[in-house]
Amino acid sequence: MLTSLLIPFRVIAHLLWGVITTAIIGVLIIGVGVFKILLPFPATQRLCSAAANGLFRVWAYCMSMMFQLTQRMEWHIKGDLDLHENGWYMVMANHRSWVDVLVLMHLTRRHMPTPRFFLKSQLMWIPVIGWGCWVLDMPFMKRYSKDLIQKKPHLKGKDIATTTRSCAKFRHIPTTVVNFCEGTRFTPEKHKKKNSPFKNLLPPKAGGTAFSMQIMGEQFEAILDVTIVYPGNDSRPVVWHLLSGRLKNVYVDIKTLPVTADLIGDYANDPKFKEHFQNWLNQRWHEKDQTIDDIRKTITETR
């Protein structure tokens, strides 16, 4: 009874913390962006990028505190995070909730370079958040349906061009490139509509990952296959469990994969490489699907 009475206070505390810290740090990042526009010199650009990245890391620490703001939460992390801030990494993760972003920020806040997320183009117009992400050179992706591309062929390859431009910027500053390969958050409705061959996942889209590898593969020190599981939270959105203080456990499995020569190639123009890369990613997704089943089995056995 007492726990239920505390829910409104927990929700208010989390919302206030998230909104206030995001607004303050977001405005500071946008301020850095103004200098970046007004002083377009290489040295100034590098200095502004470093300052914006530093502020973004502060935001990561603030968001990480949300997990402990109103009650103790347990992290169950399996895998190796013996990484460093001055390298380049590719993260492939499943996408269950907006909370996934906060989980990855928590994981990368100390031992990895600043993460860059592939974002939907609509997020650009969200005040403070969208503008701040633009200053941080986050790639904004605009997906086009097959029907629209047939009607307007000039739109074909637009997302490829966006990926290419963004990754070109990342070559000059240590970066963790984060790709939610499913392209959207998992829901039972989407799972059914896409006729997914996976029990717990949507089919992965290989293009963004393949083009990132093509441009930056030789710089990436490792590929991190990250699987996130929130136990017992399927009936209501995970973000509600976080805000209400009921997200008591987060399970994360991290597999560190080598960057091999067969994963770097011309995805757009080489049919054999395209087929190989899609098969490789699908195999990773089958293994990730099994990992989710194993984690959920472990959770059930420990209850």
Side-chain angles (χ1 to χ4, degrees), residues 237-256:
V238 178
V239 68
W240 169 254
H241 287 271
L242 173 63
L243 294 175
S244 61
R246 292 184 171 184
L247 185 61
K248 298 181 179 180
N249 295 275
V250 173
Y251 287 76
V252 183
D253 181 272
I254 304 168
K255 292 181 174 65
T256 303

Side-chain angles (χ1 to χ4, degrees), residues 8 15 46 55 75 77 83 125 145 148 163 171 214 230:
L15 284 175
R46 288 193 294 270
L55 289 167
W75 287 89
I77 301 175
L83 310 171
W125 308 110
S145 67
L148 184 59
T163 304
R171 291 178 66 91
Q214 180 179 345
Y230 308 99

Side-chain angles (χ1 to χ4, degrees), residues 172-224:
H172 305 292
I173 185 169
T175 301
T176 301
V177 176
V178 179
N179 197 350
F180 293 114
C181 299
E182 294 160 291
T184 185
R185 286 171 291 137
F186 178 98
T187 65
E189 294 76 21
K190 294 175 184 176
H191 184 265
K192 183 177 180 180
K193 182 178 180 180
K194 291 179 179 290
N195 195 24
S196 175
F198 309 99
K199 179 180 176 182
N200 308 291
L201 301 162
L202 300 178
K205 297 180 179 180
T209 305
F211 289 119
S212 299
M213 290 294 297
Q214 180 179 345
I215 299 164
M216 297 183 61
E218 295 180 359
Q219 280 187 279
F220 287 137
E221 298 183 24
I223 300 170
L224 305 179

